[in-house]
Amino acid sequence: MALPLLLIAAITLAASVAPMAIHLSPLLVAAPTCTAAFARTRSTVAIALAASAAAVLVDWHDGLLHSPLLPIHVGALLAVSGFAVVARALHDRDLRELTQVRAVSEAAQRVVLRPLPRTLGALHIASVYRAATAYALVGGDLYAAARTGRTTRILIGDVRGKGLPAVEDASALLGAFREAAHQHETLPELAAALERSVRRHLAEMTERDPDSAERFITALLAELPDAEETVRIVSCGHPPPLLEQRGRVSVLPVSRPAPPLGLAGSATDAFPVHTFPFVPGDTLLLYTDGLVEARDSSGTFYPVLERAATWSWRCPQRLLQHITQDLSSYVGPRFHDDLAMVAVHCPTG
């Protein structure tokens, strides 16, 4: 409100010292029009009334009190102010609707991609998601975790494609995992069940959209039993995780990945299991290709292993925060791909 009030005061003061032949009251229309740009409807109406009163005062000073110019000046000011008030009112209505729609959208997206708990069993877990689409909380990347008996199971995946179709595919896989994770004893059985669910989903989508037949989902399943100091992994065409062990960071050698979900076989033997040591003090980082395929302004890929040596791996939350900040400084504020990460730490105590 300070700017339009200052504008009214400045024009009124200038009119008081200007020659009477120079009429400055028409300039007062600038006050309500600029108010409508950044203030609400009531403020715009108040400034319009104040500007009209100032116009009468300026014209009175100029000797136009009984002149036909006075109603012309005031009428023109009120007419322009009226248009500004109507435009502001419509903008306020659209803003309220946008706020409501965004609140519903955020709630729906959080249902699709639920935040992971900080602990599962004895493990400390953290997750982070950055969507490439502005204002989106969910895109084509996904993650989920489930506690089944004395075992923790984690899923991370990346849907081929973008936009609403990718969100549909991600939602279908997340729903299938949350149900199937508790029904199958081994990771290959779980992966085969997810493959069948994804194929059914894509078949249904193909009836509406023929291009759905070309969609698939890369995914990685990790299983960490409480009674064993191991992590078992089934990869379906997904980037292998990083493991920090005794200060050394390495890429887990998943030598025989299965094809992505939607393209793999439905038998359990189509999903080889890879087992690696995972002892107290170790940290596992699962991620999507938004991390390894991020580029700087020159097109150089983000050097993950080189940067990994500088990260603090003991706290999963701090680890993901550090990676996100480091990646932002490397590629700039705008990501060109979705990014999902899950960090799992096995405490020593």
Side-chain angles (χ1 to χ4, degrees):
M1 296 290 287
L3 178 61
L5 290 174
L6 183 62
L7 195 58
I8 292 173
I11 294 172
T12 305
L13 180 62
S16 67
V17 297
M20 295 180 63
I22 300 176
H23 307 303
L24 299 181
S25 59
L27 297 179
L28 289 164
V29 74
T33 52
C34 75
T35 305
F38 53 80
R40 295 299 177 93
T41 305
R42 290 182 179 179
S43 300
T44 306
V45 171
I47 291 297
L49 294 175
S52 300
V56 173
L57 180 63
V58 170
D59 280 358
W60 173 78
H61 174 270
D62 292 343
L64 302 177
L65 190 59
H66 301 291
S67 168
L69 288 179
L70 174 60
I72 293 175
H73 290 168
V74 175
L77 191 151
L78 289 176
V80 174
S81 299
F83 284 117
V85 168
V86 171
R88 183 68 227 190
L90 293 175
H91 177 77
D92 288 348
R93 184 199 63 185
D94 294 341
L95 186 61
R96 287 192 298 270
E97 291 179 358
L98 177 62
T99 302
Q100 293 173 352
V101 169
R102 183 175 294 177
V104 172
S105 172
E106 290 182 357
Q109 291 179 86
R110 288 193 177 96
V111 170
V112 173
L113 194 69
R114 302 173 190 168
L116 300 185
R118 286 180 173 259
T119 59
L120 278 174
L123 301 173
H124 295 172
I125 295 180
S127 59
V128 70
Y129 192 97
R130 288 192 64 165
T133 304
Y135 305 113
L137 300 180
V138 178
D141 290 3
L142 58 103
Y143 56 73
R147 184 73 178 160
T148 59
R150 294 182 56 79
T151 299
T152 298
R153 285 176 168 173
I154 300 173
L155 164 71
I156 192 165
D158 186 356
V159 176
R160 180 183 181 270
K162 298 183 182 295
L164 289 179
V167 176
E168 278 188 308
D169 295 350
S171 177
L173 178 56
L174 288 168
F177 172 80
R178 288 164 186 154
E179 181 67 22
H182 302 275
Q183 297 178 348
H184 300 279
E185 293 187 3
T186 67
L187 275 190
E189 291 175 350
L190 174 57
L194 296 181
E195 169 66 20
R196 292 190 293 269
S197 296
V198 169
R199 287 204 175 191
R200 283 194 300 269
H201 165 73
L202 294 180
E204 294 174 359
M205 294 298 103
T206 303
E207 296 178 1
R208 296 185 300 173
D209 180 11
D211 292 337
S212 298
E214 301 178 0
R215 280 148 55 177
F216 57 83
I217 307 174
T218 68
L220 187 138
L221 291 165
E223 183 178 75
L224 301 104
D226 293 351
E228 305 174 28
E229 293 183 346
T230 60
V231 55
R232 291 190 281 268
I233 289 175
V234 168
S235 174
C236 300
H238 198 79
L242 298 179
L243 176 66
E244 190 274 341
Q245 202 168 51
R246 301 185 194 88
R248 181 184 176 187
V249 181
S250 60
V251 179
L252 293 184
V254 181
S255 56
R256 292 188 300 147
L261 297 176
L263 304 175
S266 56
T268 57
D269 57 5
F271 301 94
V273 179
H274 300 78
T275 304
F276 305 96
F278 188 71
V279 300
D282 293 354
T283 302
L284 188 70
L285 177 65
L286 290 71
Y287 54 90
T288 57
D289 59 10
L291 178 66
V292 292
E293 294 183 1
R295 306 186 187 205
D296 62 9
S297 57
S298 66
T300 305
F301 286 109
Y302 181 68
V304 178
L305 282 178
E306 178 183 326
R307 299 293 184 104
T310 66
W311 301 338
S312 174
W313 287 79
R314 288 295 170 262
C315 175
Q317 284 81 18
R318 263 189 237 153
L319 171 62
L320 297 187
Q321 184 181 17
H322 192 153
I323 297 173
T324 303
Q325 292 174 348
D326 189 40
L327 193 61
S328 295
S329 64
Y330 187 82
V331 303
R334 179 149 184 85
F335 278 58
H336 296 287
D337 195 6
D338 297 330
L339 170 64
M341 293 184 290
V342 178
V344 185
H345 177 68
C346 182
T348 55

PDB file of all heavy atoms in Angstrom, residues 8 15 33 168 180 318:
ATOM      1  N   ILE A   8      -0.062   8.947  -4.825  1.00  0.00           N
ATOM      2  CA  ILE A   8      -1.136   9.938  -4.670  1.00  0.00           C
ATOM      3  C   ILE A   8      -0.603  11.211  -4.013  1.00  0.00           C
ATOM      4  O   ILE A   8      -0.891  12.340  -4.452  1.00  0.00           O
ATOM      5  CB  ILE A   8      -2.292   9.331  -3.847  1.00  0.00           C
ATOM      6  CG1 ILE A   8      -2.988   8.227  -4.649  1.00  0.00           C
ATOM      7  CG2 ILE A   8      -3.293  10.406  -3.446  1.00  0.00           C
ATOM      8  CD1 ILE A   8      -4.029   7.472  -3.852  1.00  0.00           C
ATOM      9  N   ALA A  15       0.850  18.963  -7.939  1.00  0.00           N
ATOM     10  CA  ALA A  15      -0.223  19.804  -8.477  1.00  0.00           C
ATOM     11  C   ALA A  15      -0.356  21.102  -7.691  1.00  0.00           C
ATOM     12  O   ALA A  15      -0.767  22.140  -8.243  1.00  0.00           O
ATOM     13  CB  ALA A  15      -1.544  19.042  -8.449  1.00  0.00           C
ATOM     14  N   THR A  33      -4.423   1.494 -10.587  1.00  0.00           N
ATOM     15  CA  THR A  33      -3.998   0.468 -11.542  1.00  0.00           C
ATOM     16  C   THR A  33      -2.764  -0.289 -11.042  1.00  0.00           C
ATOM     17  O   THR A  33      -2.674  -1.512 -11.186  1.00  0.00           O
ATOM     18  CB  THR A  33      -3.697   1.094 -12.912  1.00  0.00           C
ATOM     19  OG1 THR A  33      -2.785   2.191 -12.750  1.00  0.00           O
ATOM     20  CG2 THR A  33      -4.965   1.594 -13.558  1.00  0.00           C
ATOM     21  N   GLU A 168       0.862 -42.455 -13.512  1.00  0.00           N
ATOM     22  CA  GLU A 168      -0.037 -43.613 -13.488  1.00  0.00           C
ATOM     23  C   GLU A 168       0.750 -44.908 -13.341  1.00  0.00           C
ATOM     24  O   GLU A 168       0.395 -45.776 -12.536  1.00  0.00           O
ATOM     25  CB  GLU A 168      -0.869 -43.662 -14.762  1.00  0.00           C
ATOM     26  CG  GLU A 168      -2.083 -42.769 -14.766  1.00  0.00           C
ATOM     27  CD  GLU A 168      -2.947 -43.019 -15.978  1.00  0.00           C
ATOM     28  OE1 GLU A 168      -2.410 -42.994 -17.100  1.00  0.00           O
ATOM     29  OE2 GLU A 168      -4.161 -43.243 -15.816  1.00  0.00           O
ATOM     30  N   ALA A 180       2.242 -56.926  -2.589  1.00  0.00           N
ATOM     31  CA  ALA A 180       2.986 -58.157  -2.848  1.00  0.00           C
ATOM     32  C   ALA A 180       4.172 -58.341  -1.910  1.00  0.00           C
ATOM     33  O   ALA A 180       4.612 -59.476  -1.692  1.00  0.00           O
ATOM     34  CB  ALA A 180       3.471 -58.166  -4.296  1.00  0.00           C
ATOM     35  N   ARG A 318      21.439 -36.448   6.482  1.00  0.00           N
ATOM     36  CA  ARG A 318      22.496 -35.513   6.090  1.00  0.00           C
ATOM     37  C   ARG A 318      23.128 -35.902   4.758  1.00  0.00           C
ATOM     38  O   ARG A 318      23.527 -35.042   3.964  1.00  0.00           O
ATOM     39  CB  ARG A 318      23.553 -35.474   7.193  1.00  0.00           C
ATOM     40  CG  ARG A 318      23.348 -34.300   8.136  1.00  0.00           C
ATOM     41  CD  ARG A 318      24.502 -34.155   9.082  1.00  0.00           C
ATOM     42  NE  ARG A 318      24.001 -34.222  10.439  1.00  0.00           N
ATOM     43  CZ  ARG A 318      24.715 -34.635  11.472  1.00  0.00           C
ATOM     44  NH1 ARG A 318      25.940 -35.053  11.286  1.00  0.00           N
ATOM     45  NH2 ARG A 318      24.189 -34.632  12.668  1.00  0.00           N
TER      46      ARG A 318
END
